[in-house]
Amino acid sequence: MSSIFWIIIAGAVATFLTRVGGHLVLSRFERVHPRVEVALNAVPAAVLTTLVAPAAATADWRGLVALGFAGLVSLRFNALTMFLAGAAVIILLRQFS
Amino acid sequence: MDEHIYQQKPSQADSSSKSTQFWEGFAKGLPIMIASAPFGLLFGALAIDQGFTLFETVLMSAAIFGGASQMVGIELFGQNIPAWLIVFSIFAVNFRHVLYSAAVGRRIGHFKPLQAILSYFVLTDPQYAETEKRAESGKPVTFIWYLGVATPIYVMWVFEAFIGGLFGNLITDTHALGIDMLLPIYFLGLVMGFRSRENWGPIVIASAIASIIAAKTIGSPWHVSIGAVAGILVAVILAKPEAVKEKP
C-alpha cells in the first residue's frame, strides 16, 4: 500500500478520535457541573463562528455582499434558501462585476 | 454523566414510527447534502490533481468525512512534508469536533454502543448543529433520526469524490464560481440557527474577533480553537448566577 493510503488511514483515526474524544472525557464525570453545561451550550455559536469570521475578514466586497445578503435571508427563511441565495449573489457578482 | 437527565423519555406523541423518524432526519440532511456538494466534487478534482489515485480519493472522503481537513491533507501532500505532519494537520483542523463530541454526548447518550460509534464517526459540523436543534425543539433524538440526517450527506460525499475525480478537469475557475465563499455562507446559516440561545450575540462577537486576530497572527487552523475558547469563556462569564448554581 502506498504512503498516501497510510496517511489517509492515520488521518481517519485521528479524526475519529476528535469526534469521540470529547464525549469520552466528559463521560468520566459523574455529573456535569452547571458551568460546564453553560459552556457546552455555547459550543455551536462559538465554534461555527470561527468558520465564518476570518473568511469574512479577508473576503472581497462581493463576498461580503453575499454574506450580508445571506445573513438577512436567514432571518426569515430556512438554511437551504439562505445558502442558495448567498451562492447566487456571489456567483452573479463574480461574473458581472 | 448522569444520562437520565438527558435521556429523552419516549412519550405517546413522540412514538412516531421509525421510518417517519428516518425521513424527518433525511429532510434535514438534504439541504446539507446540496450545500456540501460543490466541496465534495472540488475535493475529488483537487485530489486527482495532486496525484491521488481514484481509489485513494474516494477512500479519503469515506474514511475521514471532513471537508476542510481533507483539503488540507491533499494540499500538504503536494509539498515535501513528512507524513506525520500531514496527519497532525488533519487532526488539528478537526480538533473542533472534540467540543461537538462533548456537547452532543448529552443528546445521544442513550444510543447503544455500536450505534454510538457510528454516530460519532459521522459527527460533522452540520450533523452536530441539526442534533442540537432537534434536542432544543423537544423532539426525541433517536438513532434512526440521526441516521436519517447522516445518510444522504455521507453517501453523496463519497460519491462526489468519485465524480469529482473522474471529471475534475471540467472545473477551471473556482474563483468565478465563488467556491471560496460558499462554505462561509453555509456556516453563517448554521450560526444564525442558534440565535435564540442565551448570550448568542456576545458569544458570536467574541468568537469572531478572537478567530480573526488568531488567523492573522498565529494562523490556521488554530484560529478555530482559539476563537471557540473565547466565545465559550464569554458564555461562562456572562451566565446568570442561578444558572451556574450547583443543583442540590
Side-chain angles (χ1 to χ4, degrees):
Chain A
M1 282 297 170
S2 67
S3 67
I4 294 182
F5 176 85
W6 293 112
I7 288 172
I8 291 171
I9 297 302
V13 171
T15 301
F16 183 72
L17 286 179
T18 66
R19 285 182 173 146
V20 75
H23 169 67
L24 291 182
V25 170
L26 201 65
S27 63
R28 297 188 67 85
F29 295 92
E30 274 287 297
R31 58 208 318 261
V32 181
H33 188 274
R35 209 176 273 281
V36 176
E37 189 86 30
V38 167
L40 292 178
N41 286 334
V43 166
V47 180
L48 296 168
T49 298
T50 67
L51 305 176
V52 182
T58 54
D60 59 354
W61 67 268
R62 298 168 190 85
L64 287 177
V65 169
L67 267 180
F69 182 71
L72 286 178
V73 171
S74 75
L75 294 176
R76 290 295 300 273
F77 299 95
N78 66 26
L80 181 62
T81 311
M82 179 268 193
F83 174 75
L84 294 178
V89 169
I90 186 67
I91 292 171
L92 287 175
L93 286 178
R94 289 267 172 89
Q95 305 291 323
F96 299 114
S97 65
Chain B
M1 191 193 318
D2 189 350
E3 288 182 359
H4 296 286
I5 297 171
Y6 303 107
Q7 196 160 351
Q8 302 279 358
K9 287 203 185 70
S11 71
Q12 203 59 34
D14 293 335
S15 62
S16 51
S17 76
K18 285 193 167 182
S19 89
T20 309
Q21 290 179 11
F22 181 85
W23 292 112
E24 272 180 16
F26 197 89
K28 296 291 180 191
L30 274 186
I32 303 166
M33 184 195 92
I34 293 170
S36 61
F39 305 100
L41 294 169
L42 187 66
F43 166 77
L46 293 177
I48 294 290
D49 214 42
Q50 292 279 9
F52 278 47
T53 65
L54 196 54
F55 168 73
E56 290 161 347
T57 303
V58 173
L59 177 72
M60 194 171 192
S61 275
I64 296 184
F65 190 42
S69 65
Q70 292 177 222
M71 295 289 191
V72 168
I74 56 170
E75 186 166 308
L76 293 181
F77 193 82
Q79 303 155 33
N80 198 15
I81 289 175
W84 70 267
L85 199 55
I86 300 177
V87 174
F88 182 76
S89 301
I90 292 171
F91 178 76
V93 172
N94 283 328
F95 192 72
R96 66 185 186 283
H97 293 100
V98 170
L99 293 169
Y100 297 155
S101 168
V104 91
R106 306 176 298 166
R107 316 299 186 197
I108 66 172
H110 55 290
F111 287 9
K112 296 191 181 83
L114 277 179
Q115 297 177 340
I117 289 173
L118 183 62
S119 300
Y120 284 111
F121 174 73
V122 295
L123 183 61
T124 53
D125 302 87
Q127 180 83 37
Y128 168 67
E130 287 304 332
T131 306
E132 283 284 337
K133 276 195 263 182
R134 173 89 172 178
E136 208 167 63
S137 74
K139 291 181 190 156
V141 178
T142 60
F143 176 66
I144 289 297
W145 174 85
Y146 192 97
L147 205 60
V149 179
T151 302
I153 309 172
Y154 183 80
V155 171
M156 284 307 289
W157 182 254
V158 175
F159 185 62
E160 285 151 14
F162 178 71
I163 296 296
L166 279 184
F167 302 107
N169 41 11
L170 296 181
I171 305 175
T172 46
D173 191 350
T174 58
H175 181 77
L177 291 175
I179 299 278
D180 56 316
M181 289 312 295
L182 293 185
L183 218 46
I185 290 170
Y186 176 68
F187 282 123
L188 176 64
L190 293 184
V191 173
M192 296 298 286
F194 291 96
R195 63 186 184 278
S196 57
R197 281 209 179 168
E198 205 174 345
N199 291 322
W200 177 84
I203 293 169
V204 167
I205 291 169
S207 171
I209 293 173
S211 65
I212 289 172
I213 294 173
K216 293 203 165 156
T217 53
I218 301 162
S220 186
W222 301 108
H223 66 281
V224 174
S225 302
I226 293 168
V229 167
I232 290 168
L233 276 180
V234 165
V236 172
I237 293 166
L238 290 181
K240 297 198 186 76
E242 61 264 33
V244 295
K245 221 176 273 169
E246 189 85 51
K247 284 169 209 143

